[in-house]
Amino acid sequence: MGQQNQEKPKIQPLNPEKKQPEFKQPVKPKRKLPRFLVRLAATLVVVAAALALVAAVAFRDSLNMDSVKRWFTYRSLVRSDSGRAESFPYDGDLTDTFAALDGDLLVCSRNTISLYSGSGTQYINQPVNMEHPVVSTNSSLAVVYDAGGSDLYVLGQRTLVWSAKDLESILSARLNRNGQLTVVTQASGYRGMVTVYDASYTPVMSVNLSSAFVMDAALSDDGHTLAIFTVGQSGGAFATTLELDNLDYSNGVYQPDLTCPLGSGLVLEARHTASGVWALGDMGLTVTDHSGRSSGVSWADRYLRRYTLSGDGFAAALLGRYRTGSQAELWVVDEKGERRTLNLNEQVMSISAAGRYLAVLTGDRLDIYTDELEHYATLEGTQGARTVLLMADGSAILISADSAGFYIP
C-alpha cells in the first residue's frame, strides 16, 4: 500500500504578539545660542589666550619645566616661604669634598663616603681610607677616588655600585653620560696608563704612553672618542697637548687621530661631550671638536679664582685683576668662545653650575642666574654658608661648617 505525502501542520504560537505600529518622534531643532553670547565667548577665549601669552613671556624663567620638576621632586620637603628647607647635620666639615648626586648631597672625607637626602636621611655610610679624596659626577653617578692612591668607588641609585682597591697611583677618573669610566694611573716603565671601562666596569681597553706624561683623560659622552691630555716640553717650554682617538675596541690599538697643542697653560678641569673636548686651565678655556677645530678665550692677564665646567653648554670662571679682593668679573663662555660678563663687588665664597643655571654665593646672599647671566632667583640671609652645589633643575644645596640645607626657588 503506497504511502501518501501528508503536509505537516504549521504550529502557530498560542498568543501571537501583535506588531505595534512604529511612530517616529519629531526631531526637535537644536536651540542656538544668542549671537551676542557666541561673540562674548569668542572674546573671552581671545583674552585668555592673550593673558596666557603675556604670563608666559613675563614669567618664562620661573614658570617652566624646571619649576614643575622641583615641585614633584621636593613636594614632601618642608620649606619656608623663601624656599629654604630646614638644615641637617652631616658627618664631616668644610675641608671635605662635596658633590650633588641625583638630587642628594654626597660628602667625601678621608674616612667616610656619605650620601644624604634633602631631609637629611643618610643612605650611604661607606668607611674608606683615603688621603686625598676627589669626586667627579655625571649627575646620576659619581666616582670617588684617592688621588695618588689605589682606591676608587662608583656610586649611584643611593648605593655603592662598584669599587677597586688595587689600582696603581690614580691620577684621574671620569664618567661619561653613559656611565663608562676612564681612569688614568701611573704605570711602571711608562709615563701613564689610561684604562677605559664599560658601563658594567669591565676594562675594554688599556693604553700605555711613554712619549709624554699623562695628566688626564676623558671618554666622550657617546663612547666613541677618547681624549688624553699630556704634558711635556716644546722648545724648552712647558706645553700641554690634547690627543684624540676614534676608538676601535675590537683591536685595542691606540693611535691618536689628531694631536692638538693647547699652549703652556695647565689644564685644571676637563669635560668631553659627544661633539668636543672642553679644557679649562689657568690661562684660559679651549673647546676642541673632533675634527681638531678649536675656539675659546684667554684670561692670561687675570687671576683665576674659581671655575666650573658643570653647566650644559657653558663654562664659568671668576676672574680678578688681583689675586685677592672683592672686585671680580664672572665670565660665562659657550662652546663658540663667546662670553658674557658680570661685574661683582662682593666677596664670592663659591660658584656652581648645572643644567642651564649658575649659582654665586657671597657672604650673605645666594644669587642664581641663567646661562645668559639673567637673574633667576635670590636667597637672602645665607650667613655661615661657605659652599653651594647647584642641580640641573635650579635648586641648590648650601653647606656650612656643620650642616647643610636645600634651597628650592
Side-chain angles (χ1 to χ4, degrees):
M1 191 173 197
Q3 295 180 351
Q4 295 182 355
N5 293 330
Q6 296 181 356
E7 185 178 354
K8 294 181 179 180
K10 295 181 180 180
I11 301 175
Q12 299 292 335
L14 295 177
N15 297 313
E17 296 181 357
K18 295 182 179 181
K19 190 175 181 181
Q20 300 295 329
E22 296 181 358
F23 297 96
K24 293 184 178 180
Q25 297 292 335
V27 178
K28 296 182 179 180
K30 293 182 179 180
R31 186 177 181 182
K32 295 183 178 181
L33 291 174
R35 186 171 298 178
F36 80 94
L37 288 179
V38 175
R39 291 179 179 177
L40 178 61
T43 302
L44 291 176
V45 170
V46 172
V47 171
L51 291 175
L53 180 61
V54 171
V57 173
F59 302 102
R60 62 185 181 276
D61 285 331
S62 57
L63 298 177
N64 52 24
M65 286 302 299
D66 290 329
S67 62
V68 176
K69 292 178 183 177
R70 290 195 298 266
W71 187 88
F72 279 102
T73 303
Y74 305 107
R75 64 184 182 275
S76 62
L77 200 62
V78 178
R79 292 167 281 170
S80 65
D81 293 339
S82 66
R84 191 169 186 175
E86 185 177 354
S87 61
F88 57 87
Y90 65 88
D91 185 15
D93 54 46
L94 288 175
T95 62
D96 295 337
T97 304
F98 305 94
L101 176 58
D102 200 17
D104 295 328
L105 171 63
L106 182 64
V107 183
C108 304
S109 69
R110 293 184 176 185
N111 303 316
T112 309
I113 298 176
S114 303
L115 186 71
Y116 300 90
S117 70
S119 61
T121 302
Q122 188 175 28
Y123 289 101
I124 295 177
N125 185 21
Q126 176 69 36
V128 296
N129 184 15
M130 297 186 291
E131 288 295 324
H132 306 286
V134 180
V135 181
S136 178
T137 71
N138 68 355
S139 74
S140 62
L141 293 169
V143 55
V144 182
Y145 63 94
D146 187 12
S150 59
D151 295 353
L152 181 147
Y153 305 85
V154 177
L155 303 100
Q157 300 297 315
R158 293 177 170 174
T159 187
L160 177 64
V161 177
W162 182 74
S163 65
K165 294 182 175 295
D166 55 354
L167 300 178
E168 184 178 349
S169 191
I170 305 171
L171 300 179
S172 77
R174 298 189 182 277
L175 290 158
N176 70 356
R177 293 290 184 184
N178 295 330
Q180 296 166 290
L181 177 66
T182 306
V183 181
V184 178
T185 58
Q186 293 182 353
S188 302
Y190 297 93
R191 296 189 174 184
M193 181 172 71
V194 180
T195 304
V196 178
Y197 298 80
D198 62 18
S200 61
Y201 308 106
T202 300
V204 294
M205 185 176 182
S206 185
V207 178
N208 290 305
L209 280 83
S210 57
S211 58
F213 290 100
V214 182
M215 298 302 296
D216 205 346
L219 189 65
S220 60
D221 283 339
D222 59 11
H224 297 319
T225 308
L226 179 65
I228 297 178
F229 296 93
T230 62
V231 294
Q233 288 190 342
S234 177
F238 177 86
T240 301
T241 302
L242 169 64
E243 296 182 359
L244 292 172
D245 176 47
N246 188 9
L247 287 182
D248 182 0
Y249 296 109
S250 61
N251 57 31
V253 177
Y254 172 77
Q255 182 62 41
D257 299 311
L258 292 171
T259 300
C260 309
L262 297 181
S264 59
L266 179 65
V267 175
L268 302 174
E269 185 62 62
R271 182 178 178 185
H272 197 171
T273 67
S275 59
V277 182
W278 296 63
L280 190 152
D282 57 342
M283 308 288 285
L285 171 75
T286 302
V287 183
T288 306
D289 65 19
H290 291 159
S291 64
R293 292 189 297 267
S294 295
S295 60
V297 294
S298 172
W299 46 66
D301 59 339
R302 290 173 171 81
Y303 290 97
L304 178 63
R305 297 181 183 176
R306 303 184 185 278
Y307 57 87
T308 176
L309 270 182
S310 299
D312 287 348
F314 71 94
L318 184 68
L319 304 165
R321 292 286 184 182
Y322 306 98
R323 189 180 299 274
T324 60
S326 59
Q327 292 185 343
E329 283 186 340
L330 183 63
W331 287 19
V332 171
V333 186
D334 63 19
E335 60 185 353
K336 297 180 181 179
E338 298 178 356
R339 71 177 186 181
R340 293 167 292 280
T341 63
L342 179 67
N343 291 321
L344 300 173
N345 293 312
E346 298 176 83
Q347 189 69 37
V348 176
M349 315 300 296
S350 174
I351 67 172
S352 179
R356 69 184 190 99
Y357 301 102
L358 173 64
V360 179
L361 177 65
T362 57
D364 61 353
R365 189 178 72 252
L366 171 67
D367 290 309
I368 299 178
Y369 302 90
T370 69
D371 54 359
E372 298 290 334
L373 280 181
E374 297 175 349
H375 186 264
Y376 182 75
T378 293
L379 175 65
E380 302 283 354
T382 60
Q383 292 89 343
R386 293 295 178 266
T387 300
V388 60
L389 299 174
L390 201 59
M391 288 169 281
D393 61 6
S395 55
I397 308 173
L398 293 168
I399 303 169
S400 62
D402 55 3
S403 63
F406 280 57
Y407 166 60
I408 297 90

